[in-house]
Amino acid sequence: YIQLGSALHCHWASKYGEVPPCGASCSWKVAILEKGCWLMPELCESFSYAARPVENCTSTLGLAAGSQPLVSSLSSEACRTACDADIKCKDFAHSSATTARPEVCLLFSGTVQLHKAPEWALVQPSQVPSYLQGETSCWQRADPMVLTRFGRRNLLLAISTIVLAVVLAVSAWSAFNLMYNMHHRRRNKPNAWQLGLLMCCPC
């Protein structure tokens, strides 16, 4: 994500600092991503999140090796938005305010350049439990929201197709009935509805 953004000279790529040079695979992707600067943030800056056990957040054992936790005083929604906006953020925690601390937003990993002082501060992994003293909820990044929207729209399209097929079938049947009754019906002969029943059930 960051490498492609830098190779495409996207305005948002500079906030991630220096990135490795673009190799052969990267160059191929750059060639086909003509509107990548607009498309990639749409795909990679909105995610769904799965709840994690609270003990995984309040224990240093739940931290990945080499992670750099970042802390700020944000609401739960603002915390999620901050994690969404950082491609390196994989999970976050929010702790409600206590008498000792205001509410806490903690990103367990992220891009330091995006979370600058004084709003954000780097903390040591061993300090994490001390920041999560209030009612805590922990969240882990799951699928991009674009997949959820894609699945929802596919479902709507499938339902629309089924409804349209039913409407067309009813219209065709009604047209057949009308044409038969107007041009072919004879006295003491079955009408279109009766004829249709005979075709479906000869007995």
Side-chain angles (χ1 to χ4, degrees):
Y1 177 80
I2 302 172
Q3 194 178 44
L4 285 173
S6 177
L8 286 165
H9 305 293
C10 300
H11 66 279
W12 46 262
S14 59
K15 63 187 179 183
Y16 289 100
E18 294 185 8
V19 296
C22 193
S25 176
C26 173
S27 299
W28 174 76
K29 293 175 183 176
V30 167
I32 62 175
L33 282 172
E34 295 179 1
K35 297 182 179 179
C37 291
W38 169 82
L39 178 63
M40 287 193 292
E42 289 289 319
L43 297 176
C44 303
E45 290 191 3
S46 181
F47 295 86
S48 59
Y49 290 85
R52 289 177 58 192
V54 175
E55 56 269 19
N56 285 8
C57 294
T58 55
S59 169
T60 55
L61 297 176
L63 293 174
S67 60
Q68 287 186 306
L70 294 142
V71 68
S72 181
S73 180
L74 297 174
S75 66
S76 180
E77 276 301 314
C79 192
R80 174 174 176 156
T81 301
C83 190
D84 270 345
D86 189 345
I87 194 66
K88 292 185 178 180
C89 178
K90 302 302 180 186
D91 37 24
F92 71 92
H94 178 266
S95 185
S96 59
T98 64
T99 53
R101 290 187 184 276
E103 61 181 342
V104 171
C105 167
L106 194 142
L107 308 184
F108 290 96
S109 59
T111 306
V112 177
Q113 293 92 326
L114 296 181
H115 310 286
K116 297 181 179 179
E119 186 178 4
W120 291 89
L122 277 170
V123 297
Q124 296 299 319
S126 58
Q127 296 176 299
V128 167
S130 66
Y131 282 91
L132 304 177
Q133 296 297 319
E135 185 179 348
T136 301
S137 56
C138 303
W139 304 92
Q140 185 171 35
R141 180 177 287 181
D143 296 324
M145 289 300 294
V146 68
L147 295 180
T148 304
R149 294 195 296 268
F150 181 76
R152 189 182 300 122
R153 289 177 183 176
N154 274 359
L155 178 61
L156 291 175
L157 285 174
I159 294 173
S160 301
T161 302
I162 293 171
V163 171
L164 180 59
V166 172
V167 170
L168 289 175
V170 171
S171 300
W173 179 251
S174 300
F176 167 77
N177 286 352
L178 178 63
M179 296 299 293
Y180 179 85
N181 288 335
M182 289 178 60
H183 299 287
H184 298 287
R185 186 181 177 189
R186 299 290 183 270
R187 185 177 296 177
N188 298 325
K189 298 293 183 182
N191 59 27
W193 174 252
Q194 293 168 333
L195 183 63
L197 290 178
L198 286 172
M199 292 171 64
C200 295
C201 184
C203 60

